[in-house]
Amino acid sequence: MLEDTSFAIHPGKEQQSGAVVYRDIGRLLNYEAKENTYFFNCENGNVAIQFFTDLIVRIVMNQHHEPKLTGSKAVIVDPELVSIEETNGNEKLTFSTEKIELHITKNPFRLSVYDKDGHEIVTEGKRGMAYRENGEVISFKTMHEDDHFYGFGEKAGHLDKRGESYEMWNSDVYAPHNPETDPLYESIPYFMTLRDGKAHGVFFDNTFRSKFDMKTTSNYYTFSAEGGQLDYYIFAGPEPKAVLEQYTHITGRIPLPPKWSLGYHQSRYSYETEEEVRELAKNFVEKDIPVDVIHLDIHYMNGYRVFTFDKERFPNPEKLIADLKEMGIRVVPIVDPGVKKDSEYHIYQEGVRQEQFCKYIEGEIYFGEVWPGISAFPDFTDEKVRKWWGEKHEFYTNLGIEGIWNDMNEPAVFNETKTMDVNVMHRNDGEPTTHRELHNVYGLLMGQATYEGMKEKLNGKRPFLLTRAGYAGVQRYASVWTGDNRSFWEHLQMSLPMVMNLGLSGVAFTGPDVGGFAHDTNAELLTRWTQVGAFTPFFRNHSAIGFRYQEPWQFGDKHEDIMKNYIQMRYEWMPQLYSLFYEASKTGLPVMRPLLMEFPMDAKTYNLNDQFMLGDNVIFAPILQPSVTDRAVYLPKGEWVEFSTGEVYEGEKTHLIHAEIDELPIFVKNGTVIMQGEWNSNKDKTPKHVSMNVYASSQGENYCFTYYDDDGETFAYEGGAFIELDVEVVSNENSVKINVLEQKGDFKPAYQEININVVGQSEGQDIIINGEKNKTIQL
Ligand code: GLC
């Protein structure tokens, strides 16, 4: 009908030419240094450069104003005082730290970073930094033929992201999760490039919808955003591990999680009543299948109102939680951000009266539909709201709860756009701005509110938080599960590169729904998935309403026994896992790693999707196909010992490995060590014996590692209540020498010694511990 009016000649209806025109930053006009920041005026915009360390440089382009250097939600450190040598030539400026050089050509303004040997790190060519009139900002960077890309947070598809393009916009995607499904729940606008065995990283700290394109053109890649500044950091590496340490130096590392959160989690949407939960817990105990956590999905609440229990379904939550804890099991309830619009509901009343909810600029509360029906959403961008929300968690901690599961925090809304109106005006700690700008950090800030609130209420105990949505830095507050996957073999396959890339993006504590969330799982898939899950950082079996139940006993004795065995193995490996989580909390290195992280010179590892490592010395090669009992396994440099058979395999070779349904191929690097505990019972999960399995090599190996332990649930370690052993293992054909180089901390574990098990000791090899022929390390 409108076609009969002037609308027929509406300017928006004109055919666009298709060519996108960017305005280049142009020529450098002048520059000055203020404190440790350089400000550059260019023909068409302004640039600021800050050296955070001598290996980390930040670049900010603002087309309108002087670049704004504050307000990041991700970055938690200030630049260090870095000594810079500056040279100003006719055509070029150079800024050198001890480790890198930044070159700027003046006309046009182009910026390139090199290492001290002149290797290119990040460079610009014909195109550099630019923008469009609609506010889009873009950076063009040179792409080399042998560049491989990793990270980007939670993405479907393969490990190596070369030839792909990705968007960052936190999205609730129930279905499908295909290789091309993008974006998903998390936005981590960060990647690492591997070129000729050397690595560097880029973090684009822009919270608008953003895009990374390594696909459209073969000689350059771009990163761009719908609005905001072109604000990015370059991490010079040069090893993959160094890149990650640099990235997590500025965005933070995971706090040491409570040990119980590293155990097995059982979940279902939903275990709907107290009886059902009790029955479930009883089953685990009677069957001696380990479980640390039972999750309560949305049915526990009264009409899906957060901070309530449905008293018909759960008449006495406090007693339920206490009884389960007595059995060695903790309860983690789901908490979504949507607060039901209900004038008789105290949280809603408080939220309205105290102005805790997101509003439009005109003052109206934003309402959207989620599980409870029409709901309001706390404005987590405001300190006052974060505090309020955090305080509310007293409801849970008073019941004995120590962990929270945050879901739907993209935020997800049941409407066409799947989220909140982008025009909503967030308070943003005194610098109001739109949801369009802050959408991607809503989940991160909900995580902050929840983590900090729980920490305060738990009086010295470590909280656990699980989240679906997040932004760079989410690792500071939460572990991440990868959302609504399905019981497909393809989803088991895809989960490995996804979790490995999350690990390369600073998020060390992650995992998918084991068994698959939607769709009906089956015995073989669940069994194979449980074998993998036993060694992924986060280990939770979760399934959806309307689909088959998938607890470990649902598919007969044979499969139950296998799954029980692997879940118990998880606990036997706990000393090893916990030491790796300790390392992650100190360095940002992931617990689960792609092989390229340890073998960056080996091109065969660059897109190895179906194998992964725990730490630096163990490779897992699970079966990821139905009806398959043989698979190719690539082993990099070194000698590798299969964990259960003790068979030795040569490195830099692909082997055909046989694995029946009860077998998961695990290869330990010869000459290294793994720490092993034991499974006791659900009630008492603390190992009374810990051993050090030393893989005796006769090839002249030298290995160092750190063993860490503490009470597993409080912050007492901050005051010295921990035990840390820095151990060196030197093995050759005559001896295996194990030296404790340093022992720190004063924690007294339940075991008083560490037994040494030497695997593959050859005749003539002496075992020498701290200079003596011995079998134990006394603590
Ligand atoms: C979302 C979550 C899922 C949860 C369900 C009900 O789909 O991703 O894990 O079970 O909501 O709360």
Side-chain angles (χ1 to χ4, degrees):
M1 230 174 36
L2 277 175
E3 294 302 317
D4 297 338
T5 70
S6 301
F7 185 79
I9 47 169
H10 191 288
K13 297 187 77 189
E14 238 177 302
Q15 284 290 318
Q16 298 291 325
S17 72
V20 175
V21 182
Y22 290 102
R23 174 174 287 185
D24 190 274
I25 180 94
R27 177 163 62 91
L28 174 66
L29 302 177
N30 53 59
Y31 80 101
E32 60 173 336
K34 276 191 238 159
E35 286 165 6
N36 48 0
T37 307
Y38 296 92
F39 290 91
F40 302 82
N41 279 321
C42 301
E43 224 175 348
N44 298 319
N46 310 294
V47 176
I49 294 182
Q50 289 182 311
F51 289 88
F52 266 58
T53 69
D54 50 17
L55 285 159
I56 305 175
V57 56
R58 177 190 190 187
I59 295 135
V60 189
M61 190 270 290
N62 187 314
Q63 62 271 47
H64 304 298
H65 310 286
E66 184 165 285
K68 181 170 175 280
L69 300 171
T70 53
S72 171
K73 306 285 187 248
V75 176
I76 52 168
V77 296
D78 291 322
E80 288 167 16
L81 261 188
V82 181
S83 88
I84 312 267
E85 246 179 62
E86 187 182 329
T87 56
N88 188 351
N90 279 347
E91 288 169 8
K92 199 165 107 180
L93 291 165
T94 309
F95 301 88
S96 310
T97 72
E98 252 178 45
K99 310 265 174 63
I100 53 173
E101 284 188 9
L102 187 139
H103 296 191
I104 291 172
T105 58
K106 295 181 178 174
N107 189 11
F109 184 96
R110 292 287 178 268
L111 179 154
S112 297
V113 178
Y114 299 86
D115 70 14
K116 285 288 177 179
D117 300 323
H119 292 118
E120 290 184 20
I121 296 176
V122 170
T123 54
E124 293 179 342
K126 212 167 130 222
R127 306 173 92 178
M129 295 187 272
Y131 57 92
R132 285 172 72 190
E133 279 316 303
N134 64 6
E136 182 186 333
V137 290
I138 187 162
S139 173
F140 297 83
K141 301 286 185 238
T142 309
M143 182 156 77
H144 289 238
E145 228 171 86
D146 49 357
D147 280 354
H148 301 271
F149 294 87
Y150 307 96
F152 303 101
E154 183 186 66
K155 294 295 174 197
H158 287 119
L159 188 61
D160 182 357
K161 302 305 192 188
R162 191 188 168 93
E164 304 289 346
S165 72
Y166 290 106
E167 228 174 74
M168 301 292 166
W169 185 255
N170 290 358
S171 302
D172 171 19
V173 188
Y174 172 66
H177 284 199
N178 287 330
E180 62 173 9
T181 308
D182 182 60
L184 291 170
Y185 314 86
E186 294 265 330
S187 292
I188 306 187
Y190 162 81
F191 64 90
M192 179 186 93
T193 306
L194 190 60
R195 179 189 306 153
D196 290 335
K198 282 201 158 86
H200 62 262
V202 173
F203 168 43
F204 181 28
D205 192 8
N206 181 310
T207 60
F208 282 83
R209 187 191 286 267
S210 62
K211 197 172 167 189
F212 293 79
D213 186 352
M214 293 74 61
K215 176 182 188 169
T216 309
T217 316
S218 60
N219 53 358
Y220 61 84
Y221 66 85
T222 61
F223 49 92
S224 57
E226 257 185 27
Q229 306 186 119
L230 196 60
D231 183 352
Y232 62 101
Y233 296 75
I234 296 170
F235 310 97
E239 302 86 22
K241 286 184 180 178
V243 175
L244 206 49
E245 290 197 46
Q246 289 153 15
Y247 169 69
T248 56
H249 166 69
I250 69 158
T251 58
R253 294 171 180 147
I254 70 165
L256 199 57
K259 229 185 233 181
W260 57 264
S261 68
L262 307 184
Y264 177 73
H265 299 234
Q266 183 65 53
S267 186
R268 168 91 185 166
Y269 167 29
S270 299
Y271 296 119
E272 294 189 14
T273 62
E274 186 168 321
E275 297 85 77
E276 199 182 355
V277 173
R278 284 184 184 276
E279 187 61 31
L280 180 77
K282 196 166 122 238
N283 259 325
F284 274 102
V285 171
E286 281 176 6
K287 289 171 177 296
D288 195 29
I289 301 176
V291 64
D292 256 297
V293 185
I294 291 175
H295 288 246
L296 295 185
D297 208 323
I298 53 176
H299 285 88
Y300 81 84
M301 293 178 269
N302 172 5
Y304 312 121
R305 289 168 184 84
V306 284
F307 307 104
T308 68
F309 264 88
D310 179 324
K311 285 297 171 68
E312 270 171 31
R313 295 169 187 266
F314 290 86
N316 193 345
E318 192 169 2
K319 177 138 179 23
L320 171 72
I321 288 154
D323 290 350
L324 258 60
K325 200 152 179 198
E326 207 30 49
M327 298 159 89
I329 305 166
R330 281 171 171 84
V331 168
V332 167
I334 196 166
V335 179
D336 294 350
V339 173
K340 187 178 177 67
K341 180 176 193 292
D342 167 3
S343 317
E344 296 182 343
Y345 165 37
H346 66 291
I347 301 288
Y348 180 71
Q349 291 172 343
E350 252 183 61
V352 174
R353 291 200 178 113
Q354 301 176 6
E355 304 204 54
Q356 310 285 10
F357 295 129
C358 295
K359 290 185 175 176
Y360 286 101
I361 190 169
E362 294 82 3
E364 298 293 311
I365 293 178
Y366 167 80
F367 292 105
E369 193 181 339
V370 267
W371 304 123
I374 300 298
S375 302
F377 297 80
D379 189 355
F380 296 114
T381 68
D382 198 38
E383 169 80 40
K384 176 188 101 177
V385 181
R386 291 197 293 274
K387 273 219 101 55
W388 172 67
W389 191 258
E391 289 278 324
K392 289 287 134 211
H393 285 75
E394 197 160 41
F395 171 77
Y396 295 109
T397 53
N398 281 346
L399 295 172
I401 285 168
E402 297 167 49
I404 298 288
W405 167 20
N406 280 170
D407 185 26
M408 305 288 279
N409 51 349
E410 293 71 27
V413 181
F414 302 148
N415 64 20
E416 284 275 296
T417 69
K418 294 183 173 176
T419 193
M420 188 178 283
D421 188 337
V422 291
N423 291 317
V424 162
M425 186 63 69
H426 290 291
R427 269 162 273 172
N428 195 26
D429 290 330
E431 294 190 62
T433 187
T434 57
H435 188 68
R436 195 164 78 94
E437 178 167 354
L438 295 180
H439 172 80
N440 282 340
V441 292
Y442 190 83
L444 171 82
L445 299 174
M446 180 183 188
Q448 181 183 359
T450 307
Y451 181 81
E452 288 174 353
M454 287 294 287
K455 186 170 174 183
E456 201 175 305
K457 299 290 167 201
L458 281 173
N459 293 324
K461 278 199 186 158
R462 295 176 221 171
F464 164 70
L465 177 62
L466 178 65
T467 185
R468 193 170 73 175
Y471 180 72
V474 64
Q475 66 272 10
R476 303 195 294 265
Y477 313 115
S479 63
V480 170
W481 100 101
T482 57
D484 297 344
N485 64 359
R486 299 199 155 229
S487 301
F488 297 154
W489 288 91
E490 290 82 352
H491 282 191
L492 166 58
Q493 293 155 17
M494 205 154 70
S495 72
L496 296 187
M498 189 182 280
V499 172
M500 289 192 275
N501 272 321
L502 267 163
L504 288 179
S505 310
V507 194
F509 196 4
T510 55
D513 282 343
V514 167
F517 175 65
H519 205 76
D520 291 325
T521 201
N522 61 64
E524 192 186 2
L525 176 59
L526 182 64
T527 304
R528 289 300 195 190
W529 210 326
T530 303
Q531 292 171 345
V532 177
F535 295 98
T536 51
F538 178 62
F539 184 21
R540 183 181 75 155
N541 171 320
H542 181 46
S543 59
I545 196 162
F547 296 101
R548 208 162 169 174
Y549 277 78
Q550 59 186 38
E551 295 74 19
W553 51 81
Q554 297 290 357
F555 296 92
D557 291 348
K558 177 180 153 195
H559 290 92
E560 179 182 325
D561 285 348
I562 302 171
M563 286 187 257
K564 171 174 163 173
N565 180 35
Y566 279 89
I567 302 173
Q568 289 187 352
M569 262 172 91
R570 169 84 170 190
Y571 288 79
E572 287 158 12
W573 280 67
M574 197 57 84
Q576 179 79 4
L577 264 174
Y578 196 52
S579 298
L580 289 172
F581 271 92
Y582 171 70
E583 183 185 30
S585 75
K586 289 282 167 202
T587 64
L589 295 186
V591 171
M592 174 175 171
R593 303 176 188 171
L595 274 71
L596 66 97
M597 179 152 236
E598 297 299 333
F599 301 92
M601 301 303 290
D602 184 344
K604 286 220 164 121
T605 65
Y606 292 174
N607 204 10
L608 200 48
N609 289 278
D610 60 357
Q611 297 178 207
F612 64 92
M613 297 187 80
L614 268 196
D616 63 4
N617 64 330
V618 190
I619 292 176
F620 294 78
I623 300 282
L624 306 170
Q625 310 263 10
S627 316
V628 164
T629 48
D630 293 281
R631 62 158 290 170
V633 179
Y634 176 68
L635 296 174
K637 198 165 186 236
E639 249 180 16
W640 298 85
V641 186
E642 207 288 318
F643 179 71
S644 55
T645 62
E647 210 170 308
V648 181
Y649 292 85
E650 219 182 304
E652 292 181 284
K653 268 207 172 125
T654 300
H655 301 268
L656 186 65
I657 302 292
H658 185 73
E660 291 292 327
I661 185 71
D662 59 345
E663 291 170 318
L664 165 69
I666 304 175
F667 302 87
V668 184
K669 191 158 190 264
N670 217 357
T672 73
V673 166
I674 54 173
M675 300 298 298
Q676 297 281 287
E678 59 187 359
W679 168 247
N680 295 325
S681 69
N682 269 305
K683 202 172 161 60
D684 179 11
K685 296 191 175 90
T686 311
K688 309 294 175 281
H689 304 95
V690 165
S691 57
M692 186 185 286
N693 288 4
V694 181
Y695 289 78
S697 164
S698 45
Q699 311 277 320
E701 290 284 342
N702 202 336
Y703 182 68
C704 288
F705 76 100
T706 298
Y707 172 63
Y708 178 87
D709 202 4
D710 61 20
D711 69 17
E713 56 175 78
T714 74
F715 286 94
Y717 68 90
E718 288 176 348
F722 63 88
I723 178 163
E724 184 182 325
L725 301 183
D726 293 329
V727 183
E728 170 197 64
V729 177
V730 184
S731 50
N732 57 39
E733 50 191 9
N734 302 320
S735 64
V736 179
K737 290 185 184 149
I738 299 144
N739 299 317
V740 178
L741 303 177
E742 200 176 353
Q743 176 168 344
K744 293 179 228 159
D746 55 20
F747 177 68
K748 296 266 166 275
Y751 47 95
Q752 274 126 41
E753 56 185 29
I754 292 176
N755 308 309
I756 310 286
N757 287 330
V758 180
V759 183
Q761 180 180 359
S762 52
E763 262 180 51
Q765 252 180 343
D766 287 330
I767 310 298
I768 300 170
I769 298 167
N770 291 331
E772 286 173 31
K773 286 194 181 177
N774 211 336
K775 279 268 164 203
T776 58
I777 296 173
Q778 297 299 323
L779 296 175

